[in-house]
Amino acid sequence: MSIIKLVQAEKVYYKLNQEIKALNNVNIDFSSGKFYAIMGHSGSGKTTLIQILGLLDNLTSGKYYINGKDVENLTEKEKASLRMKKIGFVFQSFHLSPNLKAYENVILPMIINKDILPKNRYQEAINILEKLNLTNRINHFPKELSGGEQQRVAIARALANNPDIILADEPTGNLDEKNEDNIFKLLKKISQSGKCVIVVSHNKEITKYADVIYTMKNGKIERLTDENS
Amino acid sequence: MRILDYISFGLKNLIYYKKRTIYNIIITFSIILIILITFTASNTIISFLEENINKNIEYRTMYVKYDVMEESLSSVMKKLSKVKNVIKVIEQDKYQSYITIDKFKTNKTDGEINIIASDSNLLPSIVAGRNPNSNDKNYLICPTKFIADSNLSTRTDLTKEDYIDGRKFLNKEITIKYYSYDYSKEIPEVLNQYEEEFQLIGLYNTYDNYAKDNTCYTSFTNVAKINKNMSGNSEEYTEEVYYHPIIIVNDSKNIDSVFEEINSMGYTPIKRMNIDSNLIGNIKLICLSILLIAIVISIICMITIILKNIKEQEQEIGLLKALGYTNKNISLSFLVESLIIGLISFFISILIYTILYFIISNLINNTNLIFTKIAINYSWYSVLISFIIIIIIPIISTFTWFKKIKNVNIVNLINNE
């Protein structure tokens, strides 16, 4: 079932009076329970795509639907609410709060979620971290964690509000080979639990794990072969 | 988000950025302390001047010129006594005199003092000795430190060492000497010498009263008697001198209204001391200007600190927005952080201010310096103003900044562009 749909999506930037089409008439949809990989060289538009999908940026033209609802014209407050409930982000540079412990970073998105009672936040965070094999790290600050551990905490944070969609922008960009594998495996597992996982990466290793692979070039997207999971 | 969440958020941030937090607290409490001290200093100066000018009898004294051909002195005095806020109307020659006291002579001064007629209602505050009562006939009230010289206002060679310590003569008998003159001669000759014993019963501070350093006080009766004796046979041999009456106003704030009323009666009032209303006004203006500048600079410093903190955490702001935090959530988080810093700084500054207040007050009260009896009032008003500033400034700063970044691309914030 299609959870995300882009129709004739375009994103145009202007740099030094030159028009740059980061997204050029993109038509794409994403379903739950699948692991999508979006690949391409630098400047191909993949990061712009994931930012649009994550409601971090707006389309210049076209439509964007989440669960069948047009989200392009939502107010900032509505978009923020949607991000909180439906979307979990994983960034290349982890972007963990340095002043919060691992479990506190996971709790961070829960604070604004009225569906999670304050008294339950801690346990929910511990549960998620346990699933990601971080039981021994819950009280550590980010600077006390390895790169792989930090990214797993970031993934845990992305899962905090049980979103339907996980977006990851180069999640293995700052990791070694072993940790890259672990992260992709983890994201695969998450997609198998029913979530729509979309990962932007130029790392070819992702092809081993992705169900569907897209490539982007000059703002245009092209689907490569499906890979059965 | 609950209030506890905001507080927890704010505290975690403050504890993590320890160095910055300590720096901000130091700056903020210094700013608040400056406001408190400036307020207190301004209040003290203004109160000191207002109260002490207010006590100064000469400031509240006016001569009243009238047309001597049209009206008699007694008639003018009768009319003046009915003017609202006038507490005393006397003839000029019963108000003031100059006499020599041998005991007050030094190798540089001639011992002459200026005595002004007074009663217990018109005297400056007595700081040693006592106020006169109805049994005191020949009393003197002198300054705690004074110089007795007829040319005091023009002498530039006198120093602090030339001051006489009034306490040396307190409760002692003082002989005053003066002369009457025979005006029948071309050059008036001494007619009679008068010597009278006075008792110095009380001392006042000239700095409290803005009085000249050779001014002493005695009763109206004594001044009248001295001037009458000194006049000798001048009535017979000199042209009639028309003395203008003197009026004394009950309070310095009524001077202008009394002045206007006497003017409207067709007389010409002349203030004995004309400089002070402008002086107080100008000093007030300077004090208030300094205070205003201190407050403005304080506000600018506080705003700069808050905005700098927010700018340093732009990346975190971007992350929070990406996680679904609204501008309101983020604004309130930073506001709570700023308020925590503000409140901690406020309490530290109040503590230091209170300690300073007690130290300085005790210092002044226990000193024997000539510049004593300045009343420093604990400025609750400034405490309230400071408290309001530390509440309002974070509110204005935080919401002003977030209005600006409201529409900034979240990605740019996360990437700190």
Side-chain angles (χ1 to χ4, degrees), chain A residues 51 57 80 83-84 89 95 98-100 104 108 111-112 118 121 157, chain B residues 1-2 5 9 12-13 16 319 321-322 324-325 409-411 414:
Chain A
Q51 286 166 5
D57 205 348
R83 278 199 295 276
M84 184 263 290
F89 274 102
H95 285 306
N99 54 326
L100 300 176
E104 289 170 332
L108 201 55
I111 292 174
I112 47 170
R121 287 176 195 163
R157 182 182 61 191
Chain B
M1 265 173 98
R2 305 173 304 165
D5 291 325
F9 210 83
K12 285 195 175 86
N13 234 11
Y16 182 77
L319 172 70
K321 285 184 122 178
Y325 280 67
N409 190 292
I410 297 173
V411 172
I414 293 171

PDB file of all heavy atoms in Angstrom, chain A residues 51 57 80 83-84 89 95 98-100 104 108 111-112 118 121 157, chain B residues 1-2 5 9 12-13 16 319 321-322 324-325 409-411 414:
ATOM      1  N   GLN A  51      14.715  15.437   1.770  1.00  0.00           N
ATOM      2  CA  GLN A  51      14.292  16.594   2.577  1.00  0.00           C
ATOM      3  C   GLN A  51      12.842  16.957   2.268  1.00  0.00           C
ATOM      4  O   GLN A  51      12.090  17.321   3.165  1.00  0.00           O
ATOM      5  CB  GLN A  51      15.211  17.783   2.309  1.00  0.00           C
ATOM      6  CG  GLN A  51      16.578  17.626   2.963  1.00  0.00           C
ATOM      7  CD  GLN A  51      17.603  18.621   2.438  1.00  0.00           C
ATOM      8  OE1 GLN A  51      17.270  19.505   1.633  1.00  0.00           O
ATOM      9  NE2 GLN A  51      18.832  18.495   2.886  1.00  0.00           N
ATOM     10  N   ASP A  57      11.535  20.674   3.583  1.00  0.00           N
ATOM     11  CA  ASP A  57      11.602  21.673   2.531  1.00  0.00           C
ATOM     12  C   ASP A  57      10.317  21.567   1.714  1.00  0.00           C
ATOM     13  O   ASP A  57       9.575  20.580   1.819  1.00  0.00           O
ATOM     14  CB  ASP A  57      12.834  21.406   1.646  1.00  0.00           C
ATOM     15  CG  ASP A  57      13.312  22.668   0.942  1.00  0.00           C
ATOM     16  OD1 ASP A  57      12.575  23.680   0.952  1.00  0.00           O
ATOM     17  OD2 ASP A  57      14.422  22.644   0.352  1.00  0.00           O
ATOM     18  N   ALA A  80       4.915  20.151  11.343  1.00  0.00           N
ATOM     19  CA  ALA A  80       5.706  19.746  12.516  1.00  0.00           C
ATOM     20  C   ALA A  80       5.031  18.547  13.197  1.00  0.00           C
ATOM     21  O   ALA A  80       5.688  17.582  13.603  1.00  0.00           O
ATOM     22  CB  ALA A  80       5.851  20.910  13.496  1.00  0.00           C
ATOM     23  N   ARG A  83       5.584  15.474  11.093  1.00  0.00           N
ATOM     24  CA  ARG A  83       6.968  14.996  11.256  1.00  0.00           C
ATOM     25  C   ARG A  83       7.093  14.215  12.557  1.00  0.00           C
ATOM     26  O   ARG A  83       7.742  13.182  12.630  1.00  0.00           O
ATOM     27  CB  ARG A  83       7.955  16.162  11.286  1.00  0.00           C
ATOM     28  CG  ARG A  83       8.359  16.697   9.934  1.00  0.00           C
ATOM     29  CD  ARG A  83       9.663  17.502  10.031  1.00  0.00           C
ATOM     30  NE  ARG A  83       9.539  18.702  10.834  1.00  0.00           N
ATOM     31  CZ  ARG A  83       9.073  19.854  10.362  1.00  0.00           C
ATOM     32  NH1 ARG A  83       8.689  19.969   9.105  1.00  0.00           N
ATOM     33  NH2 ARG A  83       9.004  20.916  11.152  1.00  0.00           N
ATOM     34  N   MET A  84       6.467  14.767  13.596  1.00  0.00           N
ATOM     35  CA  MET A  84       6.573  14.134  14.909  1.00  0.00           C
ATOM     36  C   MET A  84       5.910  12.752  14.900  1.00  0.00           C
ATOM     37  O   MET A  84       6.450  11.786  15.433  1.00  0.00           O
ATOM     38  CB  MET A  84       5.904  15.049  15.952  1.00  0.00           C
ATOM     39  CG  MET A  84       6.011  14.572  17.379  1.00  0.00           C
ATOM     40  SD  MET A  84       4.538  13.678  17.931  1.00  0.00           S
ATOM     41  CE  MET A  84       3.343  15.021  18.016  1.00  0.00           C
ATOM     42  N   PHE A  89      13.716  10.620  11.429  1.00  0.00           N
ATOM     43  CA  PHE A  89      14.899  10.981  10.654  1.00  0.00           C
ATOM     44  C   PHE A  89      16.160  10.353  11.188  1.00  0.00           C
ATOM     45  O   PHE A  89      16.349  10.267  12.402  1.00  0.00           O
ATOM     46  CB  PHE A  89      15.108  12.497  10.740  1.00  0.00           C
ATOM     47  CG  PHE A  89      14.339  13.256   9.725  1.00  0.00           C
ATOM     48  CD1 PHE A  89      13.170  13.907  10.079  1.00  0.00           C
ATOM     49  CD2 PHE A  89      14.761  13.309   8.412  1.00  0.00           C
ATOM     50  CE1 PHE A  89      12.436  14.592   9.134  1.00  0.00           C
ATOM     51  CE2 PHE A  89      14.031  13.991   7.468  1.00  0.00           C
ATOM     52  CZ  PHE A  89      12.868  14.631   7.830  1.00  0.00           C
ATOM     53  N   HIS A  95      23.624  13.907  14.656  1.00  0.00           N
ATOM     54  CA  HIS A  95      22.895  15.036  15.255  1.00  0.00           C
ATOM     55  C   HIS A  95      22.215  14.657  16.565  1.00  0.00           C
ATOM     56  O   HIS A  95      21.036  14.968  16.788  1.00  0.00           O
ATOM     57  CB  HIS A  95      21.863  15.612  14.283  1.00  0.00           C
ATOM     58  CG  HIS A  95      22.504  16.433  13.203  1.00  0.00           C
ATOM     59  ND1 HIS A  95      23.353  17.478  13.440  1.00  0.00           N
ATOM     60  CD2 HIS A  95      22.420  16.335  11.858  1.00  0.00           C
ATOM     61  CE1 HIS A  95      23.782  17.992  12.292  1.00  0.00           C
ATOM     62  NE2 HIS A  95      23.233  17.317  11.311  1.00  0.00           N
ATOM     63  N   PRO A  98      24.255  16.687  22.430  1.00  0.00           N
ATOM     64  CA  PRO A  98      25.443  16.315  23.209  1.00  0.00           C
ATOM     65  C   PRO A  98      25.213  16.396  24.715  1.00  0.00           C
ATOM     66  O   PRO A  98      25.921  15.785  25.495  1.00  0.00           O
ATOM     67  CB  PRO A  98      26.499  17.336  22.763  1.00  0.00           C
ATOM     68  CG  PRO A  98      25.719  18.503  22.268  1.00  0.00           C
ATOM     69  CD  PRO A  98      24.446  17.965  21.710  1.00  0.00           C
ATOM     70  N   ASN A  99      24.211  17.175  25.113  1.00  0.00           N
ATOM     71  CA  ASN A  99      23.977  17.369  26.543  1.00  0.00           C
ATOM     72  C   ASN A  99      22.966  16.368  27.109  1.00  0.00           C
ATOM     73  O   ASN A  99      22.599  16.444  28.274  1.00  0.00           O
ATOM     74  CB  ASN A  99      23.477  18.791  26.812  1.00  0.00           C
ATOM     75  CG  ASN A  99      22.264  19.139  25.969  1.00  0.00           C
ATOM     76  OD1 ASN A  99      22.153  18.691  24.833  1.00  0.00           O
ATOM     77  ND2 ASN A  99      21.361  19.942  26.493  1.00  0.00           N
ATOM     78  N   LEU A 100      22.532  15.424  26.252  1.00  0.00           N
ATOM     79  CA  LEU A 100      21.573  14.426  26.717  1.00  0.00           C
ATOM     80  C   LEU A 100      22.179  13.039  26.624  1.00  0.00           C
ATOM     81  O   LEU A 100      22.912  12.740  25.688  1.00  0.00           O
ATOM     82  CB  LEU A 100      20.284  14.465  25.871  1.00  0.00           C
ATOM     83  CG  LEU A 100      19.509  15.774  25.856  1.00  0.00           C
ATOM     84  CD1 LEU A 100      18.321  15.669  24.896  1.00  0.00           C
ATOM     85  CD2 LEU A 100      19.010  16.142  27.237  1.00  0.00           C
ATOM     86  N   GLU A 104      17.939   9.762  26.931  1.00  0.00           N
ATOM     87  CA  GLU A 104      17.303  11.087  26.869  1.00  0.00           C
ATOM     88  C   GLU A 104      17.165  11.549  25.418  1.00  0.00           C
ATOM     89  O   GLU A 104      16.197  12.216  25.057  1.00  0.00           O
ATOM     90  CB  GLU A 104      18.105  12.100  27.689  1.00  0.00           C
ATOM     91  CG  GLU A 104      17.993  11.876  29.192  1.00  0.00           C
ATOM     92  CD  GLU A 104      18.962  12.715  30.010  1.00  0.00           C
ATOM     93  OE1 GLU A 104      20.051  13.064  29.491  1.00  0.00           O
ATOM     94  OE2 GLU A 104      18.651  12.989  31.176  1.00  0.00           O
ATOM     95  N   LEU A 108      13.634  12.447  23.521  1.00  0.00           N
ATOM     96  CA  LEU A 108      13.436  13.807  22.977  1.00  0.00           C
ATOM     97  C   LEU A 108      12.186  13.952  22.095  1.00  0.00           C
ATOM     98  O   LEU A 108      11.385  14.861  22.306  1.00  0.00           O
ATOM     99  CB  LEU A 108      14.696  14.219  22.214  1.00  0.00           C
ATOM    100  CG  LEU A 108      14.947  15.709  21.975  1.00  0.00           C
ATOM    101  CD1 LEU A 108      14.946  16.495  23.256  1.00  0.00           C
ATOM    102  CD2 LEU A 108      16.272  15.912  21.252  1.00  0.00           C
ATOM    103  N   ILE A 111       8.711  13.774  24.052  1.00  0.00           N
ATOM    104  CA  ILE A 111       8.281  14.874  24.930  1.00  0.00           C
ATOM    105  C   ILE A 111       7.105  15.629  24.311  1.00  0.00           C
ATOM    106  O   ILE A 111       6.204  16.101  25.009  1.00  0.00           O
ATOM    107  CB  ILE A 111       9.459  15.825  25.221  1.00  0.00           C
ATOM    108  CG1 ILE A 111      10.508  15.108  26.079  1.00  0.00           C
ATOM    109  CG2 ILE A 111       9.008  17.098  25.923  1.00  0.00           C
ATOM    110  CD1 ILE A 111      11.781  15.905  26.294  1.00  0.00           C
ATOM    111  N   ILE A 112       7.144  15.767  22.979  1.00  0.00           N
ATOM    112  CA  ILE A 112       6.076  16.536  22.323  1.00  0.00           C
ATOM    113  C   ILE A 112       4.946  15.633  21.835  1.00  0.00           C
ATOM    114  O   ILE A 112       4.020  16.095  21.171  1.00  0.00           O
ATOM    115  CB  ILE A 112       6.619  17.369  21.143  1.00  0.00           C
ATOM    116  CG1 ILE A 112       7.533  16.510  20.247  1.00  0.00           C
ATOM    117  CG2 ILE A 112       7.358  18.589  21.635  1.00  0.00           C
ATOM    118  CD1 ILE A 112       7.910  17.179  18.954  1.00  0.00           C
ATOM    119  N   PRO A 118       4.138  10.853  30.147  1.00  0.00           N
ATOM    120  CA  PRO A 118       5.478  11.149  30.681  1.00  0.00           C
ATOM    121  C   PRO A 118       6.059   9.986  31.502  1.00  0.00           C
ATOM    122  O   PRO A 118       7.235   9.687  31.411  1.00  0.00           O
ATOM    123  CB  PRO A 118       5.258  12.393  31.536  1.00  0.00           C
ATOM    124  CG  PRO A 118       4.103  13.075  30.912  1.00  0.00           C
ATOM    125  CD  PRO A 118       3.216  11.981  30.399  1.00  0.00           C
ATOM    126  N   ARG A 121       7.719   7.292  29.292  1.00  0.00           N
ATOM    127  CA  ARG A 121       8.754   7.642  28.320  1.00  0.00           C
ATOM    128  C   ARG A 121      10.034   6.849  28.538  1.00  0.00           C
ATOM    129  O   ARG A 121      10.634   6.333  27.598  1.00  0.00           O
ATOM    130  CB  ARG A 121       9.082   9.143  28.418  1.00  0.00           C
ATOM    131  CG  ARG A 121       8.033  10.077  27.875  1.00  0.00           C
ATOM    132  CD  ARG A 121       8.440  11.516  28.136  1.00  0.00           C
ATOM    133  NE  ARG A 121       7.354  12.443  27.952  1.00  0.00           N
ATOM    134  CZ  ARG A 121       7.346  13.684  28.427  1.00  0.00           C
ATOM    135  NH1 ARG A 121       8.368  14.119  29.165  1.00  0.00           N
ATOM    136  NH2 ARG A 121       6.332  14.485  28.201  1.00  0.00           N
ATOM    137  N   ARG A 157      16.116   6.990  18.239  1.00  0.00           N
ATOM    138  CA  ARG A 157      15.369   8.248  18.362  1.00  0.00           C
ATOM    139  C   ARG A 157      14.341   8.369  17.247  1.00  0.00           C
ATOM    140  O   ARG A 157      13.215   8.826  17.467  1.00  0.00           O
ATOM    141  CB  ARG A 157      16.337   9.426  18.316  1.00  0.00           C
ATOM    142  CG  ARG A 157      15.675  10.796  18.485  1.00  0.00           C
ATOM    143  CD  ARG A 157      16.668  11.923  18.372  1.00  0.00           C
ATOM    144  NE  ARG A 157      17.305  11.939  17.074  1.00  0.00           N
ATOM    145  CZ  ARG A 157      18.361  12.685  16.775  1.00  0.00           C
ATOM    146  NH1 ARG A 157      18.898  13.474  17.699  1.00  0.00           N
ATOM    147  NH2 ARG A 157      18.912  12.660  15.569  1.00  0.00           N
TER     148      ARG A 157
ATOM    149  N   MET B   1       4.208  19.872  25.588  1.00  0.00           N
ATOM    150  CA  MET B   1       5.296  19.818  26.581  1.00  0.00           C
ATOM    151  C   MET B   1       4.816  20.352  27.918  1.00  0.00           C
ATOM    152  O   MET B   1       4.123  21.379  27.978  1.00  0.00           O
ATOM    153  CB  MET B   1       6.466  20.715  26.120  1.00  0.00           C
ATOM    154  CG  MET B   1       7.551  19.951  25.355  1.00  0.00           C
ATOM    155  SD  MET B   1       8.786  21.058  24.655  1.00  0.00           S
ATOM    156  CE  MET B   1      10.087  20.973  25.887  1.00  0.00           C
ATOM    157  N   ARG B   2       5.209  19.680  28.988  1.00  0.00           N
ATOM    158  CA  ARG B   2       4.839  20.160  30.319  1.00  0.00           C
ATOM    159  C   ARG B   2       5.872  21.190  30.776  1.00  0.00           C
ATOM    160  O   ARG B   2       7.004  21.218  30.248  1.00  0.00           O
ATOM    161  CB  ARG B   2       4.826  19.000  31.305  1.00  0.00           C
ATOM    162  CG  ARG B   2       3.947  17.811  30.915  1.00  0.00           C
ATOM    163  CD  ARG B   2       4.159  16.661  31.882  1.00  0.00           C
ATOM    164  NE  ARG B   2       5.560  16.269  31.945  1.00  0.00           N
ATOM    165  CZ  ARG B   2       6.067  15.501  32.904  1.00  0.00           C
ATOM    166  NH1 ARG B   2       5.289  15.036  33.864  1.00  0.00           N
ATOM    167  NH2 ARG B   2       7.342  15.175  32.917  1.00  0.00           N
ATOM    168  N   ASP B   5       9.029  19.609  31.667  1.00  0.00           N
ATOM    169  CA  ASP B   5       9.868  19.256  30.522  1.00  0.00           C
ATOM    170  C   ASP B   5      10.729  20.435  30.113  1.00  0.00           C
ATOM    171  O   ASP B   5      11.921  20.294  29.825  1.00  0.00           O
ATOM    172  CB  ASP B   5       8.987  18.818  29.337  1.00  0.00           C
ATOM    173  CG  ASP B   5       8.297  17.499  29.585  1.00  0.00           C
ATOM    174  OD1 ASP B   5       8.904  16.632  30.230  1.00  0.00           O
ATOM    175  OD2 ASP B   5       7.135  17.346  29.135  1.00  0.00           O
ATOM    176  N   PHE B   9      14.704  20.444  30.364  1.00  0.00           N
ATOM    177  CA  PHE B   9      15.416  20.761  29.136  1.00  0.00           C
ATOM    178  C   PHE B   9      16.421  21.880  29.386  1.00  0.00           C
ATOM    179  O   PHE B   9      17.616  21.772  29.063  1.00  0.00           O
ATOM    180  CB  PHE B   9      14.375  21.260  28.126  1.00  0.00           C
ATOM    181  CG  PHE B   9      14.710  20.964  26.704  1.00  0.00           C
ATOM    182  CD1 PHE B   9      14.423  19.727  26.154  1.00  0.00           C
ATOM    183  CD2 PHE B   9      15.289  21.921  25.900  1.00  0.00           C
ATOM    184  CE1 PHE B   9      14.709  19.449  24.835  1.00  0.00           C
ATOM    185  CE2 PHE B   9      15.592  21.644  24.578  1.00  0.00           C
ATOM    186  CZ  PHE B   9      15.303  20.412  24.036  1.00  0.00           C
ATOM    187  N   LYS B  12      19.287  20.940  31.803  1.00  0.00           N
ATOM    188  CA  LYS B  12      20.280  20.034  31.180  1.00  0.00           C
ATOM    189  C   LYS B  12      21.215  20.831  30.276  1.00  0.00           C
ATOM    190  O   LYS B  12      22.435  20.628  30.264  1.00  0.00           O
ATOM    191  CB  LYS B  12      19.577  18.960  30.367  1.00  0.00           C
ATOM    192  CG  LYS B  12      18.943  17.881  31.193  1.00  0.00           C
ATOM    193  CD  LYS B  12      18.583  16.657  30.363  1.00  0.00           C
ATOM    194  CE  LYS B  12      18.071  15.553  31.244  1.00  0.00           C
ATOM    195  NZ  LYS B  12      16.646  15.621  31.540  1.00  0.00           N
ATOM    196  N   ASN B  13      20.632  21.765  29.554  1.00  0.00           N
ATOM    197  CA  ASN B  13      21.419  22.596  28.652  1.00  0.00           C
ATOM    198  C   ASN B  13      22.415  23.451  29.440  1.00  0.00           C
ATOM    199  O   ASN B  13      23.591  23.579  29.090  1.00  0.00           O
ATOM    200  CB  ASN B  13      20.480  23.527  27.880  1.00  0.00           C
ATOM    201  CG  ASN B  13      20.681  23.408  26.386  1.00  0.00           C
ATOM    202  OD1 ASN B  13      21.356  22.501  25.911  1.00  0.00           O
ATOM    203  ND2 ASN B  13      20.092  24.347  25.664  1.00  0.00           N
ATOM    204  N   TYR B  16      25.187  21.309  30.894  1.00  0.00           N
ATOM    205  CA  TYR B  16      26.121  20.818  29.879  1.00  0.00           C
ATOM    206  C   TYR B  16      27.069  21.921  29.415  1.00  0.00           C
ATOM    207  O   TYR B  16      28.274  21.741  29.328  1.00  0.00           O
ATOM    208  CB  TYR B  16      25.355  20.244  28.688  1.00  0.00           C
ATOM    209  CG  TYR B  16      26.281  19.679  27.632  1.00  0.00           C
ATOM    210  CD1 TYR B  16      26.888  18.445  27.815  1.00  0.00           C
ATOM    211  CD2 TYR B  16      26.557  20.386  26.474  1.00  0.00           C
ATOM    212  CE1 TYR B  16      27.755  17.926  26.872  1.00  0.00           C
ATOM    213  CE2 TYR B  16      27.426  19.872  25.525  1.00  0.00           C
ATOM    214  CZ  TYR B  16      28.024  18.644  25.727  1.00  0.00           C
ATOM    215  OH  TYR B  16      28.883  18.147  24.784  1.00  0.00           O
ATOM    216  N   LEU B 319      17.510  20.657  14.550  1.00  0.00           N
ATOM    217  CA  LEU B 319      17.207  19.259  14.864  1.00  0.00           C
ATOM    218  C   LEU B 319      15.842  19.141  15.527  1.00  0.00           C
ATOM    219  O   LEU B 319      15.033  18.278  15.158  1.00  0.00           O
ATOM    220  CB  LEU B 319      18.284  18.705  15.811  1.00  0.00           C
ATOM    221  CG  LEU B 319      17.971  17.326  16.367  1.00  0.00           C
ATOM    222  CD1 LEU B 319      18.059  16.279  15.272  1.00  0.00           C
ATOM    223  CD2 LEU B 319      18.887  16.973  17.512  1.00  0.00           C
ATOM    224  N   LYS B 321      13.351  21.106  15.298  1.00  0.00           N
ATOM    225  CA  LYS B 321      12.292  21.359  14.308  1.00  0.00           C
ATOM    226  C   LYS B 321      12.087  20.125  13.431  1.00  0.00           C
ATOM    227  O   LYS B 321      10.966  19.761  13.099  1.00  0.00           O
ATOM    228  CB  LYS B 321      12.662  22.563  13.429  1.00  0.00           C
ATOM    229  CG  LYS B 321      12.491  23.898  14.131  1.00  0.00           C
ATOM    230  CD  LYS B 321      12.781  25.046  13.188  1.00  0.00           C
ATOM    231  CE  LYS B 321      11.578  25.934  13.100  1.00  0.00           C
ATOM    232  NZ  LYS B 321      11.701  27.091  12.271  1.00  0.00           N
ATOM    233  N   ALA B 322      13.205  19.471  13.074  1.00  0.00           N
ATOM    234  CA  ALA B 322      13.100  18.259  12.255  1.00  0.00           C
ATOM    235  C   ALA B 322      12.355  17.155  13.006  1.00  0.00           C
ATOM    236  O   ALA B 322      11.665  16.339  12.401  1.00  0.00           O
ATOM    237  CB  ALA B 322      14.484  17.774  11.855  1.00  0.00           C
ATOM    238  N   GLY B 324       9.952  17.660  14.958  1.00  0.00           N
ATOM    239  CA  GLY B 324       8.537  18.007  15.100  1.00  0.00           C
ATOM    240  C   GLY B 324       8.254  19.054  16.160  1.00  0.00           C
ATOM    241  O   GLY B 324       7.093  19.372  16.423  1.00  0.00           O
ATOM    242  N   TYR B 325       9.301  19.571  16.774  1.00  0.00           N
ATOM    243  CA  TYR B 325       9.091  20.644  17.748  1.00  0.00           C
ATOM    244  C   TYR B 325       8.628  21.899  17.001  1.00  0.00           C
ATOM    245  O   TYR B 325       9.168  22.240  15.970  1.00  0.00           O
ATOM    246  CB  TYR B 325      10.382  20.945  18.503  1.00  0.00           C
ATOM    247  CG  TYR B 325      10.685  19.973  19.619  1.00  0.00           C
ATOM    248  CD1 TYR B 325      10.996  18.647  19.354  1.00  0.00           C
ATOM    249  CD2 TYR B 325      10.658  20.391  20.943  1.00  0.00           C
ATOM    250  CE1 TYR B 325      11.271  17.765  20.383  1.00  0.00           C
ATOM    251  CE2 TYR B 325      10.936  19.517  21.982  1.00  0.00           C
ATOM    252  CZ  TYR B 325      11.242  18.199  21.687  1.00  0.00           C
ATOM    253  OH  TYR B 325      11.522  17.320  22.704  1.00  0.00           O
ATOM    254  N   ASN B 409      14.920  27.746   6.384  1.00  0.00           N
ATOM    255  CA  ASN B 409      14.948  26.334   6.011  1.00  0.00           C
ATOM    256  C   ASN B 409      15.580  25.501   7.122  1.00  0.00           C
ATOM    257  O   ASN B 409      16.678  25.795   7.590  1.00  0.00           O
ATOM    258  CB  ASN B 409      15.769  26.221   4.722  1.00  0.00           C
ATOM    259  CG  ASN B 409      15.669  24.861   4.119  1.00  0.00           C
ATOM    260  OD1 ASN B 409      16.161  23.892   4.684  1.00  0.00           O
ATOM    261  ND2 ASN B 409      15.023  24.774   2.982  1.00  0.00           N
ATOM    262  N   ILE B 410      14.877  24.449   7.532  1.00  0.00           N
ATOM    263  CA  ILE B 410      15.353  23.619   8.644  1.00  0.00           C
ATOM    264  C   ILE B 410      16.694  22.992   8.284  1.00  0.00           C
ATOM    265  O   ILE B 410      17.589  22.860   9.138  1.00  0.00           O
ATOM    266  CB  ILE B 410      14.330  22.529   8.981  1.00  0.00           C
ATOM    267  CG1 ILE B 410      13.025  23.172   9.460  1.00  0.00           C
ATOM    268  CG2 ILE B 410      14.872  21.593  10.045  1.00  0.00           C
ATOM    269  CD1 ILE B 410      11.904  22.168   9.653  1.00  0.00           C
ATOM    270  N   VAL B 411      16.813  22.591   7.019  1.00  0.00           N
ATOM    271  CA  VAL B 411      18.051  21.942   6.587  1.00  0.00           C
ATOM    272  C   VAL B 411      19.235  22.893   6.800  1.00  0.00           C
ATOM    273  O   VAL B 411      20.302  22.496   7.263  1.00  0.00           O
ATOM    274  CB  VAL B 411      17.938  21.524   5.111  1.00  0.00           C
ATOM    275  CG1 VAL B 411      19.271  21.041   4.605  1.00  0.00           C
ATOM    276  CG2 VAL B 411      16.885  20.460   4.954  1.00  0.00           C
ATOM    277  N   ILE B 414      20.122  22.911  10.441  1.00  0.00           N
ATOM    278  CA  ILE B 414      20.822  21.704  10.888  1.00  0.00           C
ATOM    279  C   ILE B 414      22.264  21.748  10.409  1.00  0.00           C
ATOM    280  O   ILE B 414      23.188  21.347  11.121  1.00  0.00           O
ATOM    281  CB  ILE B 414      20.121  20.434  10.357  1.00  0.00           C
ATOM    282  CG1 ILE B 414      18.748  20.293  11.003  1.00  0.00           C
ATOM    283  CG2 ILE B 414      20.954  19.189  10.643  1.00  0.00           C
ATOM    284  CD1 ILE B 414      17.907  19.196  10.394  1.00  0.00           C
TER     285      ILE B 414
END
